[in-house]
């Protein structure tokens, strides 16, 4: 409970700072207008979705090699939280595109590869919800192993292929105020990520305990 | 805690609205506001959904625990009566 409170307080403070930096301190880019400020929560959401999917990747690998249930749980939580941030990216992106490009969606490399990545992990989560059998868990782990490398394509799509999406500007094209806004939003969203992770982890652990308890009960009733 | 949470939500939603009011041009303001509102709505929905699901599962777990304990007690009681019955013919003999 203390940890949750600490996370809530740090998240609130960071969000307040991020809001100040993003809406008051960071300058407006005249060629794009105010809609460019979507960038400050669109990009950190994409980073956090990558982190979630990478957690799912590493845990799935461990699950396939060691077969321990906790790795499968960890992968599932990583995928679900990563998917949540992936949906934020997919939803906020078209709102920016509508003003900048004049269309909601364009089948260009970055957008298509991100949609593909989100689709893979949507299937992963759906598969994990269908059944709790070992075979399904293994199939989902294999899906995560094949799906996660798409992050590389999503990241490099703007630099290697011609598209409408802006290039990766974080390393060069931002001034100090913009960086401050971006990173403060990243850390605020990281608190949200950790909070959601802890909530889902506890929930899924309890779900597994319920399944085991039901099995034990049905066995006892059969013996009677 | 709940009161401070509500205050935080209100501030998080009100603050950008006040900032927008001070902007000169309307270039993409509406889309920015929609994106920002959706971000918060989705975040709170996720927290609420995960929290609610976790609580439901914990309730189910405690009910199952009670059922298991009741069954175990019943089993123990049956075993005791069986043991008593098996002991009673010896006493008679």
């Amino acid at each position: 409970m203390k940890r949750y409170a600490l996370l809530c307080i740090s998240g609130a403070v960071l969000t307040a700072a991020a809001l100040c930096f993003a809406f008051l301190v960071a300058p407006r880019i005249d060629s794009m207008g105010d809609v460019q400020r979507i960038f400050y929560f669109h990009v950190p959401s994409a980073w956090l979705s990558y982190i979630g999917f990478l957690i799912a990747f590493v845990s799935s690998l461990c699950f396939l090699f060691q077969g321990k249930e906790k790795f499968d749980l960890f992968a599932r939580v990583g995928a679900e939280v990563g998917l949540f941030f992936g949906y934020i990216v997919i939803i906020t992106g078209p709102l920016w595109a509508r003003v900048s490009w004049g269309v909601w969606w364009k089948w260009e490399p970055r957008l298509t590869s991100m949609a593909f990545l989100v689709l893979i992990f949507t299937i992963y989560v759906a598969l994990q919800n269908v059944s709790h059998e070992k075979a399904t868990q293994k199939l989902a782990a294999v899906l995560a192993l094949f799906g996660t490398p798409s992050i590389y394509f999503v990241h490099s799509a703007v630099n290697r292929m011609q598209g409408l999406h802006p290039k990766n500007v974080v390393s060069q094209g931002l001034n100090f105020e913009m960086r401050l806004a971006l990173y403060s939003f990243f850390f605020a969203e990281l608190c949200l990520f950790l909070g959601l992770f802890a909530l889902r982890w506890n929930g899924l652990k309890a779900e597994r305990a319920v399944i085991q308890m039901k099995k034990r009960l049905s066995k006892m009733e059969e013996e009677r | 805690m709940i009161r401070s949470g509500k205050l935080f939500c209100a501030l998080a939603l009100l603050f950008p609205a006040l900032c927008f009011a001070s902007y000169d041009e309307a270039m993409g303001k509406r889309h920015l506001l929609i994106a920002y509102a959706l971000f918060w709505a989705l975040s709170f929905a996720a927290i609420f959904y995960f929290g609610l699901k976790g609580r439901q599962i914990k309730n189910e777990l405690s009910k199952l625990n009670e059922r298991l304990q009741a069954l175990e007690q019943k089993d123990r009681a049956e075993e005791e009566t069986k043991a008593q019955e098996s002991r009673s013919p010896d006493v008679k003999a």
Side-chain angles (χ1 to χ4, degrees):
Chain A
M1 203 62 201
K2 259 186 184 176
R3 254 181 274 166
Y4 273 120
L6 195 70
L7 209 61
C8 280
I9 292 164
S10 48
V13 171
L14 279 166
T15 309
L19 286 172
C20 282
F21 293 137
F23 290 102
L24 292 177
V25 178
R28 187 179 62 197
I29 298 173
D30 288 332
S31 59
M32 286 193 191
D34 290 326
V35 78
Q36 180 269 335
R37 290 176 206 274
I38 288 179
F39 170 82
Y40 301 119
F41 50 95
H42 175 78
V43 174
S45 301
W47 290 345
L48 288 166
S49 74
Y50 295 166
I51 292 173
F53 297 150
L54 282 172
I55 289 172
F57 176 80
V58 174
S59 309
S60 296
L61 204 65
C62 292
F63 174 70
L64 284 177
F65 275 106
Q66 297 194 349
K68 284 182 185 168
E69 195 90 330
K70 70 173 177 187
F71 288 124
D72 180 60
L73 272 188
F74 215 65
R76 203 174 150 186
V77 177
E80 285 186 13
V81 179
L83 197 59
F84 163 73
F85 283 99
Y87 281 134
I88 285 180
V89 175
I90 290 286
I91 289 168
T92 54
L95 285 160
W96 188 358
R98 182 75 183 92
V99 179
S100 297
W101 306 338
V103 286
W104 293 104
W105 187 266
K106 196 115 186 145
W107 291 103
E108 63 100 53
R110 168 62 73 94
L111 271 66
T112 310
S113 53
M114 187 66 196
F116 181 69
L117 183 66
V118 167
L119 182 70
I120 287 174
F121 277 94
T122 306
I123 295 169
Y124 173 92
V125 171
L127 204 60
Q128 286 276 29
N129 279 316
V130 166
S131 125
H132 300 289
E133 298 296 317
K134 202 96 180 169
T136 319
Q137 288 172 348
K138 278 185 181 171
L139 190 66
V142 171
L143 189 67
L145 286 189
F146 280 104
T148 313
S150 319
I151 290 174
Y152 173 75
F153 296 110
V154 177
H155 195 69
S156 62
V158 285
N159 295 330
R160 297 202 172 193
M161 286 176 253
Q162 288 290 321
L164 278 172
H165 195 281
K167 288 197 163 28
N168 297 329
V169 290
V170 176
S171 53
Q172 294 151 4
L174 298 180
N175 63 27
F176 178 71
E177 288 88 356
M178 286 171 149
R179 268 169 210 269
L180 211 59
L182 181 72
Y183 291 124
S184 50
F185 245 116
F186 171 73
F187 286 111
E189 284 191 36
L190 186 65
C191 289
L192 178 66
F193 182 95
L194 293 173
L196 285 177
F197 203 96
L199 261 179
R200 197 62 192 126
W201 172 256
N202 288 336
L204 276 181
K205 254 184 13 187
E207 200 178 292
R208 289 287 153 104
V210 164
I211 292 165
Q212 279 174 353
M213 188 82 86
K214 274 182 182 168
K215 274 183 191 169
R216 205 171 142 195
L217 271 170
S218 62
K219 207 175 169 185
M220 275 177 86
E221 277 164 354
E222 264 174 34
E223 279 170 6
R224 285 167 151 260
Chain B
M1 192 72 190
I2 292 167
R3 201 184 295 164
S4 65
K6 276 181 185 168
L7 186 72
F8 174 69
C9 297
L11 281 177
L13 291 169
L14 264 178
F15 186 82
L18 291 173
C19 292
F20 289 134
S22 66
Y23 285 164
D24 305 328
E25 288 172 49
M27 238 178 116
K29 241 187 249 178
R30 201 174 48 158
H31 289 80
L32 174 59
L33 189 65
I34 294 168
Y36 186 74
L38 279 173
F39 171 74
W40 279 108
L42 278 176
S43 303
F44 287 122
I47 293 170
F48 182 74
Y49 175 71
F50 284 167
L52 191 75
K53 218 173 167 186
R55 213 176 304 152
Q56 277 174 349
I57 291 165
K58 273 179 188 162
N59 283 344
E60 197 183 341
L61 190 65
S62 62
K63 273 180 196 168
L64 284 173
N65 242 331
E66 279 169 19
R67 220 173 107 194
L68 188 73
Q69 277 176 353
L71 267 175
E72 278 174 350
Q73 260 182 355
K74 219 173 176 183
D75 276 354
R76 234 176 284 144
E78 275 176 14
E79 272 172 29
E80 270 175 27
T81 48
K82 268 182 194 171
Q84 272 179 350
E85 276 170 12
S86 61
R87 244 180 275 140
S88 53
D90 294 341
V91 172
K92 274 178 194 172

